[in-house]
Amino acid sequence: MARVNPEFGKEIKKFGANEFDACYNCGTCTAICSLSDGENSFPRKMLRYTVLGLDGQIQRSLDPWLCYYCGDCSTTCPREANPGNLMMATRRYLIAKYDWTGISRMLYTSKTFEIVALLFIALLVLLGFIFFHGEMTTELTPEGGVKLNTFAPWQIIELVDWGVAAVLSSLLLSNVVRMYLKIVRSRVKEGLRIPFKLYFTQLPALIGHFATQRRFAKCHTEKISWREKLKQGKNTYWLVHFLLMSSYVMLFTMIVGFLGWFQTDEIHDWWHPQRLLGYYTTVGLIGGIIYFSVLRIKKKTEKAKHTHFTDWTFLLLLMLTAVTGILVHFFRVNGMPYPTYIMYVVHLMILFPMLIIEVPFSKWSHLAYRPLAIYLSLVVSKAEKLMKQKPAKS
Amino acid sequence: MKQRIGVYICHCGGNISDYVDVEELGKMLAEETGVVISKDVMFACADSNQKQMVSDIEEHKLDAIVVASCSPKLHLHTFRGVAERAKLNPSNYVQVNIREQCSWPHSDNKKEASIKAVGLIRAGIKRVSHSESLENIEIPVVKAALVIGAGVAGMRAAIDLARMGNQVYLIEKEAQTGGRVAQAGSLFMSGQSGSELTGRLQEEIRRHSGITVFTRATVEKVSGSLGNFHVGVSIGTGDNDEKLSLNVGSVLVATGMDSYQPKENEYAYGSSKRIVTLPDFDRMVKEQGELVVDGKKVRQVGFIYCVGNRQKKGENKYCSRFCCSAAIHTSLKIKEKYGDVTAWHLFRDIRTYGKQEILYEKSSKQGDIYIRWDEKEPPLVEAAGDQVLVKVKDYLTSKEEIEIPLDLVVLVTGAVAREDSRSIADVFKIPIGSDRFFNEIHPKLKPVETVIKGVYIGGSCQGPRNITESVESSLSAAAKMNALLGGGTISLDPVVARVNSEACTWCGKCAEVCDYDAIRQIEFQGKQVAVVNNATCAGCGICAPVCPPDAIELAQFTNLEIESMIDGFMEKVEMREKQQESTTENEEAPAVTMKEYPQLWKEIEEALASGPMNIPDLSKQINKSSDLVTWHLMTMNKYGIVVPDGMDESDTYFNYKMKN
Amino acid sequence: MSTTNSFQPKILVFSTDKISDPGIDQAGLRKIHYSPSVYVISMPCSSGIKPRWIMHAYRQGFDGVFIAADGHECSYSASCPDRTNDLINHAQSMMKEQGINPKRIRMAAICSVCAEPFASHMDNFSRILSEIGSIQAELNNKAS
């Protein structure tokens, strides 16, 4: 027996779903969705849960994470109930539910809170520099570059990075655990037995999906070759997303793990891996951001039609991070000390708030939840299959 | 016995003559007893033939005619008209169906078709020879109508009857007119209130001098029949009843329905103020500026549909069909009036037929929640503190059982027959169904007529219906009544039952089986016999087979007529074989030989010899009406004598030319 | 019996003006063939058929009588199916006295569009009557 929450409709509307209550359950979305099969009616089940207010069912559901928003359901919906957007809103809702601090919910439901939070962290960064910055020397390195490591020694920054990374990952990890519990515990309570072994045998899927996001392929199920799809532009979205995502991961890894190698005063030759990596990630980030921004402005594809304010914040911050990063680089190699220092502070005033807000509490957390959901859905479905083969003795 | 019978056998332009040897039949049947003339004709129904028949009847002093052509459903009235124009009583005409029931179904066997046709026509000749000249039954009519029940249906019918110049008595059991609608809240689809609607009708009735209204009045007894009813009415309550007798020609029963009252504990009804019926809720919505029950604002409202209706096992098997629309209309209304209210519709099937579908569309788009349930698993309702918990299985999420905490549960109750419907039915002898609603004669063909001639039913006393449908039926009854009352007399079909008083021994069996209460017992020459009231007899003949001494029979269906038909079918038929010579000739000749042409075909042919022509020009040229020309030209086209020859110059008509 | 093959039973059909007769008409309209030894008498209501007419038909040589009734569609009386049933029972008891096979009478509801059902009823009834044989033989047997 599931108790309905009559206020749930209002709740989910705060996360950006506004049209779902026009649904009259015709099932067109299920018929068109490449994810639905005999047992799972995508995305109608989520829609029905939402209409009825079965929030418990939604919280234990993996479906929203398995959907990569091809938008077919929304374009074919005879009632314009926009199931695709509901799935997107449900993901935001779930992020807020996994987060135990409540910060996530506030970020998603209040613009003011988000802006204040970002400004607050930026201010902390600024204050940190005001009180603890190194010597602002105008002396240049032999190659004519700015001595950035004197102003902000990488050892100290890296320490701060580690501290922030530790906090962020523990927050994210605790949310991931909460996700795991919501999904697995309710099923175990209902009698599902998951052999421990499955968690290991399915591990490659977790890693594979994390690295490639190959799930996007399910959005286009035509039986044509990968190259053909690329030619027709059907894989462009995936490709740009991959560039952006890999750039971001590389940058993050370099900043947190190898800052001493990444933030040098020495100006390497243009072909040096440090500079190449820097350029790749900058191009990946800026290119990706421009691509996604143009999509969202043009609103031609279904998934780009409904932009939540958190989506814009995310794109904007990422763009500013990349631009300020490249400016730091430009000022530094051209031997402009003050612009370099100021830009560096600005760069971090954007980077830190973005990391702290987006990674555990907002849009970026999907980088953990998405692959985990695929992994868990494999684990659960395999376990269910095993149960069917060997019915439990009762 | 008729001695001067005329027989007309139709070719139907080949529809009959292609399979039945019509010509031969014409000659053969001329030899039948009593037959004076027997002819084969190209089109019996053609104007020219009708005229010929009239002159035949006059010239040969025919006393009966038989037309053997198509089904009587098509031309019975045509040839009755021919008989009347020739001053021959129409009951001395018999139609024989040799097309739909002979030439067409037996087109695979021409010889047998011809033999059968002979039998059919012979039976017709024999039947007509025993036919009597029947006169229509004329009954004087009192030009006044009684309408029982001053609800919307009754009031509306009373107004129309009065407008058409009839004296109308409108009687109402309650102290006020207006009926159930006067108490209703907002009505679908217009949204106006019930009292607004009834107020308008009441105002119109007040202004109309032709309508006399009696409130607190009930019908006590009824005597008389069609055209002249005496209705005893009792007015007032208790001891000082005023008795009054109304003399009317026709009666409309528009006594309406009751709203279903849930039984104690049906959906926990009665256990909480938060469980109400739809009419109760509508009144709440009409009166309350803010929707509050027991000091708590109502924000979640559940509607449970089909309460007391569509019971597979219970008494009320029918669907009341207005309740879905009414409930959805109310849910739109509360959203509009109170804003932040969520409506949960727990339905079995939504039947917002016709334009009412717009209501459902609106409601489902505005976010009302629809949950379907099956009669086997109805929702469980339980009052719990300041909430009502409703448990139901949601079929759309693989039968997940859900529990909905609601502030108010509305039981969408349908219609039931009035509690006193049986006593009203008894007074008028209107049959009632197992659902206790009044029965019409035929749901499709006679939807407002009852088996009691002159007594009509309208509105929801006949079955659940919405206001529009109620008014439609009562107005259709009013139109029927006006047609009855209008002429001062009524002319009734003479096909009624007749009693042979000599043979009758009064056993009462005929009266027992008569649904129309048309047979009474009277004294005749010192003994008890049955007598038929011509005004009320429906002419079904149900009384005839049950009479032990065979003393009652239906006009036109007497033993003599039917048994002679059977004799006619079975008389031996000897078809003259066609001569060998003519057979070979037929094979070489075109499908239709010249001698079969009516004169008109020759004229058409001559006209077309000069070149292609369209139908208007053709009809001008040969000076015949264009419909006649069309008829014959199409037949010639069918036989390949003429063919279309493109459009004419004005691009309006087809030209036709001779085939060769 | 060499005549068995060519024996075509004669059937008398009682139909009703408003409902079953239009159904039979439609069989013709659509050129659905049935035995040409079928003859139809149309009545207002099937409950007005007298058993004596049925007996008269047998005596005159009809091999079977078919009542195409309105069933519950009858516009005259809700009791029509019962009444029609009663008169058939009555006719059957009379037939029994005369030694006539009770299978020689049949009833079915024929609606106003029941063209095919009517034709197939006629085919079936013809077959059954062919198996039973001619009424003449039956009446002769009784006489002898």
mmCIF file of all heavy atoms in Angstrom, chain B residues 71 73 97 101 104-105 107 116 441-442 515-516 541 550 559 563 567 570, chain C residues 10 21 25 28 31 33-34 36 38 48 50 52-53 56 60 73 75-77:
data_model
loop_
_atom_site.group_PDB
_atom_site.id
_atom_site.type_symbol
_atom_site.label_atom_id
_atom_site.label_comp_id
_atom_site.label_asym_id
_atom_site.label_seq_id
_atom_site.Cartn_x
_atom_site.Cartn_y
_atom_site.Cartn_z
ATOM 1 N N SER B 71 -41.449 -4.557 -52.783
ATOM 2 C CA SER B 71 -41.873 -4.715 -51.399
ATOM 3 C C SER B 71 -42.902 -3.651 -51.014
ATOM 4 O O SER B 71 -42.784 -2.498 -51.429
ATOM 5 C CB SER B 71 -40.642 -4.584 -50.500
ATOM 6 O OG SER B 71 -41.042 -4.396 -49.168
ATOM 7 N N LYS B 73 -43.030 -2.070 -48.498
ATOM 8 C CA LYS B 73 -42.372 -0.965 -47.783
ATOM 9 C C LYS B 73 -42.135 0.229 -48.712
ATOM 10 O O LYS B 73 -41.963 1.341 -48.264
ATOM 11 C CB LYS B 73 -41.025 -1.416 -47.198
ATOM 12 C CG LYS B 73 -41.148 -2.119 -45.864
ATOM 13 C CD LYS B 73 -41.149 -3.604 -46.022
ATOM 14 C CE LYS B 73 -42.016 -4.298 -45.010
ATOM 15 N NZ LYS B 73 -42.435 -5.627 -45.437
ATOM 16 N N ASN B 97 -45.292 -8.948 -53.169
ATOM 17 C CA ASN B 97 -43.867 -8.641 -53.294
ATOM 18 C C ASN B 97 -43.174 -9.699 -54.146
ATOM 19 O O ASN B 97 -42.768 -10.746 -53.649
ATOM 20 C CB ASN B 97 -43.267 -8.588 -51.881
ATOM 21 C CG ASN B 97 -41.799 -8.217 -51.889
ATOM 22 O OD1 ASN B 97 -41.175 -8.111 -52.940
ATOM 23 N ND2 ASN B 97 -41.251 -8.025 -50.703
ATOM 24 N N GLN B 101 -38.846 -10.568 -52.657
ATOM 25 C CA GLN B 101 -39.060 -11.914 -52.137
ATOM 26 C C GLN B 101 -39.265 -12.944 -53.232
ATOM 27 O O GLN B 101 -39.737 -14.049 -52.962
ATOM 28 C CB GLN B 101 -40.216 -11.899 -51.124
ATOM 29 C CG GLN B 101 -39.823 -11.083 -49.890
ATOM 30 C CD GLN B 101 -40.836 -11.153 -48.757
ATOM 31 O OE1 GLN B 101 -41.838 -11.845 -48.837
ATOM 32 N NE2 GLN B 101 -40.551 -10.412 -47.686
ATOM 33 N N TRP B 104 -35.450 -11.403 -57.108
ATOM 34 C CA TRP B 104 -34.069 -11.194 -56.678
ATOM 35 C C TRP B 104 -33.455 -12.383 -55.945
ATOM 36 O O TRP B 104 -32.387 -12.857 -56.342
ATOM 37 C CB TRP B 104 -33.950 -9.902 -55.852
ATOM 38 C CG TRP B 104 -33.891 -8.667 -56.705
ATOM 39 C CD1 TRP B 104 -33.662 -8.607 -58.049
ATOM 40 C CD2 TRP B 104 -34.067 -7.319 -56.262
ATOM 41 N NE1 TRP B 104 -33.690 -7.299 -58.469
ATOM 42 C CE2 TRP B 104 -33.922 -6.486 -57.397
ATOM 43 C CE3 TRP B 104 -34.322 -6.728 -55.029
ATOM 44 C CZ2 TRP B 104 -34.037 -5.097 -57.328
ATOM 45 C CZ3 TRP B 104 -34.428 -5.347 -54.960
ATOM 46 C CH2 TRP B 104 -34.294 -4.540 -56.101
ATOM 47 N N PRO B 105 -34.101 -12.896 -54.889
ATOM 48 C CA PRO B 105 -33.438 -14.021 -54.202
ATOM 49 C C PRO B 105 -33.397 -15.287 -55.048
ATOM 50 O O PRO B 105 -32.608 -16.181 -54.776
ATOM 51 C CB PRO B 105 -34.290 -14.224 -52.941
ATOM 52 C CG PRO B 105 -35.609 -13.625 -53.250
ATOM 53 C CD PRO B 105 -35.340 -12.490 -54.187
ATOM 54 N N SER B 107 -32.918 -15.266 -58.402
ATOM 55 C CA SER B 107 -32.382 -14.905 -59.722
ATOM 56 C C SER B 107 -31.538 -16.035 -60.291
ATOM 57 O O SER B 107 -31.202 -16.036 -61.462
ATOM 58 C CB SER B 107 -31.549 -13.628 -59.607
ATOM 59 O OG SER B 107 -30.523 -13.815 -58.659
ATOM 60 N N LYS B 116 -42.961 -19.534 -58.414
ATOM 61 C CA LYS B 116 -43.246 -18.948 -57.108
ATOM 62 C C LYS B 116 -44.065 -17.676 -57.266
ATOM 63 O O LYS B 116 -45.004 -17.426 -56.504
ATOM 64 C CB LYS B 116 -41.945 -18.649 -56.369
ATOM 65 C CG LYS B 116 -42.175 -17.928 -55.028
ATOM 66 C CD LYS B 116 -40.918 -17.818 -54.207
ATOM 67 C CE LYS B 116 -41.134 -16.933 -52.979
ATOM 68 N NZ LYS B 116 -39.959 -16.833 -52.129
ATOM 69 N N ILE B 441 -43.345 2.147 -25.964
ATOM 70 C CA ILE B 441 -43.713 0.972 -26.770
ATOM 71 C C ILE B 441 -42.472 0.385 -27.420
ATOM 72 O O ILE B 441 -42.238 -0.815 -27.384
ATOM 73 C CB ILE B 441 -44.735 1.343 -27.869
ATOM 74 C CG1 ILE B 441 -46.064 1.739 -27.222
ATOM 75 C CG2 ILE B 441 -44.952 0.169 -28.807
ATOM 76 C CD1 ILE B 441 -47.151 2.058 -28.216
ATOM 77 N N HIS B 442 -41.702 1.249 -28.018
ATOM 78 C CA HIS B 442 -40.498 0.776 -28.717
ATOM 79 C C HIS B 442 -39.416 1.839 -28.552
ATOM 80 O O HIS B 442 -39.672 3.009 -28.824
ATOM 81 C CB HIS B 442 -40.816 0.571 -30.201
ATOM 82 C CG HIS B 442 -39.731 -0.142 -30.948
ATOM 83 N ND1 HIS B 442 -38.638 0.524 -31.441
ATOM 84 C CD2 HIS B 442 -39.563 -1.450 -31.251
ATOM 85 C CE1 HIS B 442 -37.850 -0.350 -32.039
ATOM 86 N NE2 HIS B 442 -38.384 -1.554 -31.937
ATOM 87 N N ASP B 515 -52.152 -6.003 -24.030
ATOM 88 C CA ASP B 515 -51.307 -5.056 -23.305
ATOM 89 C C ASP B 515 -51.911 -3.660 -23.295
ATOM 90 O O ASP B 515 -51.449 -2.787 -22.590
ATOM 91 C CB ASP B 515 -49.934 -4.964 -23.990
ATOM 92 C CG ASP B 515 -49.003 -6.044 -23.487
ATOM 93 O OD1 ASP B 515 -49.313 -6.622 -22.432
ATOM 94 O OD2 ASP B 515 -47.995 -6.298 -24.147
ATOM 95 N N TYR B 516 -52.899 -3.438 -24.135
ATOM 96 C CA TYR B 516 -53.403 -2.076 -24.328
ATOM 97 C C TYR B 516 -54.718 -1.839 -23.591
ATOM 98 O O TYR B 516 -55.334 -0.790 -23.746
ATOM 99 C CB TYR B 516 -53.579 -1.802 -25.828
ATOM 100 C CG TYR B 516 -52.283 -1.939 -26.573
ATOM 101 C CD1 TYR B 516 -51.850 -3.174 -27.062
ATOM 102 C CD2 TYR B 516 -51.465 -0.840 -26.753
ATOM 103 C CE1 TYR B 516 -50.645 -3.303 -27.714
ATOM 104 C CE2 TYR B 516 -50.256 -0.958 -27.411
ATOM 105 C CZ TYR B 516 -49.843 -2.189 -27.892
ATOM 106 O OH TYR B 516 -48.648 -2.309 -28.538
ATOM 107 N N GLY B 541 -53.123 -8.199 -32.911
ATOM 108 C CA GLY B 541 -53.685 -9.520 -33.151
ATOM 109 C C GLY B 541 -53.318 -10.559 -32.116
ATOM 110 O O GLY B 541 -53.594 -11.742 -32.276
ATOM 111 N N ASP B 550 -62.411 -19.386 -31.101
ATOM 112 C CA ASP B 550 -61.980 -18.666 -32.308
ATOM 113 C C ASP B 550 -62.979 -17.562 -32.662
ATOM 114 O O ASP B 550 -63.400 -17.426 -33.796
ATOM 115 C CB ASP B 550 -61.844 -19.656 -33.481
ATOM 116 C CG ASP B 550 -60.919 -19.111 -34.564
ATOM 117 O OD1 ASP B 550 -60.351 -18.020 -34.347
ATOM 118 O OD2 ASP B 550 -60.771 -19.765 -35.602
ATOM 119 N N ASN B 559 -59.314 -15.533 -40.845
ATOM 120 C CA ASN B 559 -59.038 -16.917 -41.250
ATOM 121 C C ASN B 559 -59.195 -17.067 -42.756
ATOM 122 O O ASN B 559 -58.372 -17.694 -43.425
ATOM 123 C CB ASN B 559 -60.025 -17.867 -40.568
ATOM 124 C CG ASN B 559 -59.762 -17.927 -39.074
ATOM 125 O OD1 ASN B 559 -58.656 -17.643 -38.623
ATOM 126 N ND2 ASN B 559 -60.786 -18.260 -38.314
ATOM 127 N N GLU B 563 -56.003 -18.179 -44.823
ATOM 128 C CA GLU B 563 -56.068 -19.561 -45.323
ATOM 129 C C GLU B 563 -56.207 -19.596 -46.840
ATOM 130 O O GLU B 563 -55.659 -20.484 -47.499
ATOM 131 C CB GLU B 563 -57.201 -20.318 -44.627
ATOM 132 C CG GLU B 563 -56.801 -20.632 -43.181
ATOM 133 C CD GLU B 563 -57.914 -21.232 -42.343
ATOM 134 O OE1 GLU B 563 -59.026 -21.453 -42.874
ATOM 135 O OE2 GLU B 563 -57.661 -21.487 -41.150
ATOM 136 N N ASP B 567 -53.855 -21.446 -49.635
ATOM 137 C CA ASP B 567 -54.367 -22.217 -50.783
ATOM 138 C C ASP B 567 -53.743 -21.711 -52.079
ATOM 139 O O ASP B 567 -53.345 -22.491 -52.934
ATOM 140 C CB ASP B 567 -55.894 -22.071 -50.876
ATOM 141 C CG ASP B 567 -56.587 -22.636 -49.641
ATOM 142 O OD1 ASP B 567 -55.925 -23.388 -48.891
ATOM 143 O OD2 ASP B 567 -57.778 -22.313 -49.429
ATOM 144 N N MET B 570 -50.313 -22.888 -52.916
ATOM 145 C CA MET B 570 -50.124 -24.305 -53.189
ATOM 146 C C MET B 570 -50.844 -24.802 -54.432
ATOM 147 O O MET B 570 -50.687 -25.944 -54.805
ATOM 148 C CB MET B 570 -50.595 -25.131 -51.976
ATOM 149 C CG MET B 570 -49.837 -24.824 -50.703
ATOM 150 S SD MET B 570 -48.052 -24.903 -50.951
ATOM 151 C CE MET B 570 -47.815 -26.653 -50.932
ATOM 152 N N LYS C 10 -41.503 -27.473 -49.214
ATOM 153 C CA LYS C 10 -42.184 -26.184 -49.275
ATOM 154 C C LYS C 10 -42.297 -25.618 -47.865
ATOM 155 O O LYS C 10 -42.702 -26.313 -46.933
ATOM 156 C CB LYS C 10 -43.573 -26.380 -49.892
ATOM 157 C CG LYS C 10 -43.531 -26.673 -51.385
ATOM 158 C CD LYS C 10 -44.928 -26.598 -51.940
ATOM 159 C CE LYS C 10 -45.052 -26.674 -53.441
ATOM 160 N NZ LYS C 10 -43.875 -26.860 -54.238
ATOM 161 N N ASP C 21 -39.879 -8.809 -41.908
ATOM 162 C CA ASP C 21 -40.109 -8.729 -43.350
ATOM 163 C C ASP C 21 -39.039 -7.866 -44.049
ATOM 164 O O ASP C 21 -38.515 -8.280 -45.083
ATOM 165 C CB ASP C 21 -41.528 -8.213 -43.638
ATOM 166 C CG ASP C 21 -42.084 -8.811 -44.921
ATOM 167 O OD1 ASP C 21 -41.930 -10.037 -45.103
ATOM 168 O OD2 ASP C 21 -42.635 -8.067 -45.752
ATOM 169 N N ASP C 25 -36.650 -9.006 -47.032
ATOM 170 C CA ASP C 25 -36.480 -8.155 -48.225
ATOM 171 C C ASP C 25 -35.008 -7.928 -48.510
ATOM 172 O O ASP C 25 -34.562 -7.932 -49.653
ATOM 173 C CB ASP C 25 -37.140 -6.787 -47.999
ATOM 174 C CG ASP C 25 -38.644 -6.825 -48.288
ATOM 175 O OD1 ASP C 25 -39.139 -7.899 -48.689
ATOM 176 O OD2 ASP C 25 -39.303 -5.779 -48.109
ATOM 177 N N GLY C 28 -33.270 -10.537 -50.396
ATOM 178 C CA GLY C 28 -33.531 -10.414 -51.823
ATOM 179 C C GLY C 28 -32.708 -9.311 -52.449
ATOM 180 O O GLY C 28 -32.052 -9.498 -53.473
ATOM 181 N N LYS C 31 -29.450 -10.249 -53.200
ATOM 182 C CA LYS C 31 -29.404 -11.470 -54.027
ATOM 183 C C LYS C 31 -28.760 -12.641 -53.292
ATOM 184 O O LYS C 31 -27.903 -13.350 -53.825
ATOM 185 C CB LYS C 31 -28.709 -11.193 -55.359
ATOM 186 C CG LYS C 31 -29.333 -10.024 -56.101
ATOM 187 C CD LYS C 31 -29.619 -10.303 -57.553
ATOM 188 C CE LYS C 31 -30.540 -9.240 -58.118
ATOM 189 N NZ LYS C 31 -30.215 -8.704 -59.399
ATOM 190 N N HIS C 33 -29.329 -16.139 -52.156
ATOM 191 C CA HIS C 33 -30.302 -17.137 -52.622
ATOM 192 C C HIS C 33 -30.745 -18.066 -51.511
ATOM 193 O O HIS C 33 -29.963 -18.442 -50.651
ATOM 194 C CB HIS C 33 -29.701 -17.974 -53.758
ATOM 195 C CG HIS C 33 -29.268 -17.132 -54.918
ATOM 196 N ND1 HIS C 33 -30.114 -16.219 -55.500
ATOM 197 C CD2 HIS C 33 -28.086 -17.063 -55.581
ATOM 198 C CE1 HIS C 33 -29.464 -15.604 -56.487
ATOM 199 N NE2 HIS C 33 -28.229 -16.085 -56.558
ATOM 200 N N TYR C 34 -32.018 -18.405 -51.550
ATOM 201 C CA TYR C 34 -32.541 -19.493 -50.699
ATOM 202 C C TYR C 34 -33.576 -20.219 -51.532
ATOM 203 O O TYR C 34 -33.827 -19.837 -52.689
ATOM 204 C CB TYR C 34 -33.085 -18.949 -49.383
ATOM 205 C CG TYR C 34 -34.068 -17.801 -49.500
ATOM 206 C CD1 TYR C 34 -35.432 -18.039 -49.702
ATOM 207 C CD2 TYR C 34 -33.636 -16.483 -49.425
ATOM 208 C CE1 TYR C 34 -36.328 -16.990 -49.818
ATOM 209 C CE2 TYR C 34 -34.531 -15.424 -49.549
ATOM 210 C CZ TYR C 34 -35.883 -15.682 -49.742
ATOM 211 O OH TYR C 34 -36.766 -14.647 -49.854
ATOM 212 N N PRO C 36 -36.543 -21.494 -53.584
ATOM 213 C CA PRO C 36 -37.709 -20.793 -54.153
ATOM 214 C C PRO C 36 -39.043 -21.375 -53.681
ATOM 215 O O PRO C 36 -40.086 -20.864 -54.051
ATOM 216 C CB PRO C 36 -37.517 -20.957 -55.664
ATOM 217 C CG PRO C 36 -36.625 -22.113 -55.826
ATOM 218 C CD PRO C 36 -35.778 -22.224 -54.599
ATOM 219 N N VAL C 38 -40.029 -21.160 -50.736
ATOM 220 C CA VAL C 38 -40.327 -20.450 -49.495
ATOM 221 C C VAL C 38 -41.351 -19.371 -49.801
ATOM 222 O O VAL C 38 -41.162 -18.566 -50.715
ATOM 223 C CB VAL C 38 -39.035 -19.815 -48.921
ATOM 224 C CG1 VAL C 38 -39.366 -18.893 -47.748
ATOM 225 C CG2 VAL C 38 -38.053 -20.893 -48.495
ATOM 226 N N GLY C 48 -49.801 -13.017 -33.239
ATOM 227 C CA GLY C 48 -51.160 -13.045 -33.773
ATOM 228 C C GLY C 48 -51.399 -14.202 -34.747
ATOM 229 O O GLY C 48 -52.429 -14.255 -35.411
ATOM 230 N N LYS C 50 -52.437 -17.744 -35.872
ATOM 231 C CA LYS C 50 -53.315 -18.771 -35.280
ATOM 232 C C LYS C 50 -52.789 -20.164 -35.602
ATOM 233 O O LYS C 50 -52.465 -20.461 -36.760
ATOM 234 C CB LYS C 50 -54.724 -18.631 -35.840
ATOM 235 C CG LYS C 50 -55.457 -17.422 -35.309
ATOM 236 C CD LYS C 50 -56.917 -17.483 -35.760
ATOM 237 C CE LYS C 50 -57.646 -16.225 -35.327
ATOM 238 N NZ LYS C 50 -59.038 -16.233 -35.806
ATOM 239 N N ARG C 52 -54.400 -22.693 -36.139
ATOM 240 C CA ARG C 52 -55.199 -23.356 -37.173
ATOM 241 C C ARG C 52 -54.666 -23.030 -38.563
ATOM 242 O O ARG C 52 -54.782 -23.824 -39.481
ATOM 243 C CB ARG C 52 -56.688 -23.000 -37.067
ATOM 244 C CG ARG C 52 -57.006 -21.541 -37.283
ATOM 245 C CD ARG C 52 -58.505 -21.319 -37.318
ATOM 246 N NE ARG C 52 -59.050 -21.515 -38.675
ATOM 247 C CZ ARG C 52 -60.329 -21.389 -38.973
ATOM 248 N NH1 ARG C 52 -61.224 -21.113 -38.024
ATOM 249 N NH2 ARG C 52 -60.752 -21.558 -40.219
ATOM 250 N N TRP C 53 -54.047 -21.844 -38.714
ATOM 251 C CA TRP C 53 -53.455 -21.521 -40.018
ATOM 252 C C TRP C 53 -52.265 -22.430 -40.291
ATOM 253 O O TRP C 53 -52.042 -22.861 -41.408
ATOM 254 C CB TRP C 53 -52.983 -20.054 -40.069
ATOM 255 C CG TRP C 53 -54.062 -19.043 -39.806
ATOM 256 C CD1 TRP C 53 -55.408 -19.246 -39.892
ATOM 257 C CD2 TRP C 53 -53.867 -17.689 -39.408
ATOM 258 N NE1 TRP C 53 -56.074 -18.097 -39.563
ATOM 259 C CE2 TRP C 53 -55.163 -17.109 -39.267
ATOM 260 C CE3 TRP C 53 -52.756 -16.889 -39.165
ATOM 261 C CZ2 TRP C 53 -55.346 -15.786 -38.889
ATOM 262 C CZ3 TRP C 53 -52.944 -15.578 -38.805
ATOM 263 C CH2 TRP C 53 -54.238 -15.012 -38.656
ATOM 264 N N HIS C 56 -53.564 -25.648 -41.302
ATOM 265 C CA HIS C 56 -54.088 -25.536 -42.671
ATOM 266 C C HIS C 56 -52.942 -25.647 -43.678
ATOM 267 O O HIS C 56 -53.081 -26.309 -44.711
ATOM 268 C CB HIS C 56 -54.813 -24.201 -42.820
ATOM 269 C CG HIS C 56 -55.486 -24.021 -44.153
ATOM 270 N ND1 HIS C 56 -56.715 -24.598 -44.440
ATOM 271 C CD2 HIS C 56 -55.102 -23.352 -45.272
ATOM 272 C CE1 HIS C 56 -57.044 -24.281 -45.693
ATOM 273 N NE2 HIS C 56 -56.081 -23.530 -46.221
ATOM 274 N N GLN C 60 -52.479 -28.344 -46.676
ATOM 275 C CA GLN C 60 -52.384 -27.920 -48.067
ATOM 276 C C GLN C 60 -51.069 -28.339 -48.706
ATOM 277 O O GLN C 60 -50.847 -28.063 -49.880
ATOM 278 C CB GLN C 60 -52.536 -26.403 -48.164
ATOM 279 C CG GLN C 60 -53.933 -25.905 -47.840
ATOM 280 C CD GLN C 60 -54.978 -26.430 -48.822
ATOM 281 O OE1 GLN C 60 -54.826 -26.325 -50.029
ATOM 282 N NE2 GLN C 60 -56.026 -27.046 -48.286
ATOM 283 N N GLU C 73 -37.551 -7.256 -29.850
ATOM 284 C CA GLU C 73 -37.665 -5.990 -30.567
ATOM 285 C C GLU C 73 -39.114 -5.631 -30.856
ATOM 286 O O GLU C 73 -39.396 -4.546 -31.340
ATOM 287 C CB GLU C 73 -36.906 -6.083 -31.900
ATOM 288 C CG GLU C 73 -35.410 -6.050 -31.766
ATOM 289 C CD GLU C 73 -34.905 -4.625 -31.657
ATOM 290 O OE1 GLU C 73 -34.923 -3.904 -32.658
ATOM 291 O OE2 GLU C 73 -34.509 -4.245 -30.535
ATOM 292 N N SER C 75 -42.597 -4.238 -31.279
ATOM 293 C CA SER C 75 -43.031 -2.917 -30.841
ATOM 294 C C SER C 75 -44.438 -2.954 -30.252
ATOM 295 O O SER C 75 -44.953 -1.931 -29.838
ATOM 296 C CB SER C 75 -42.959 -1.933 -31.998
ATOM 297 O OG SER C 75 -43.955 -2.254 -32.936
ATOM 298 N N TYR C 76 -45.069 -4.109 -30.236
ATOM 299 C CA TYR C 76 -46.426 -4.151 -29.697
ATOM 300 C C TYR C 76 -46.454 -4.561 -28.235
ATOM 301 O O TYR C 76 -47.144 -3.978 -27.418
ATOM 302 C CB TYR C 76 -47.294 -5.129 -30.497
ATOM 303 C CG TYR C 76 -47.657 -4.618 -31.856
ATOM 304 C CD1 TYR C 76 -47.021 -5.102 -32.991
ATOM 305 C CD2 TYR C 76 -48.642 -3.651 -32.000
ATOM 306 C CE1 TYR C 76 -47.361 -4.634 -34.240
ATOM 307 C CE2 TYR C 76 -48.987 -3.169 -33.258
ATOM 308 C CZ TYR C 76 -48.347 -3.668 -34.380
ATOM 309 O OH TYR C 76 -48.676 -3.193 -35.612
ATOM 310 N N SER C 77 -45.673 -5.598 -27.931
ATOM 311 C CA SER C 77 -45.827 -6.149 -26.594
ATOM 312 C C SER C 77 -44.525 -6.770 -26.113
ATOM 313 O O SER C 77 -43.864 -7.491 -26.860
ATOM 314 C CB SER C 77 -46.917 -7.227 -26.606
ATOM 315 O OG SER C 77 -46.920 -7.913 -25.379
#
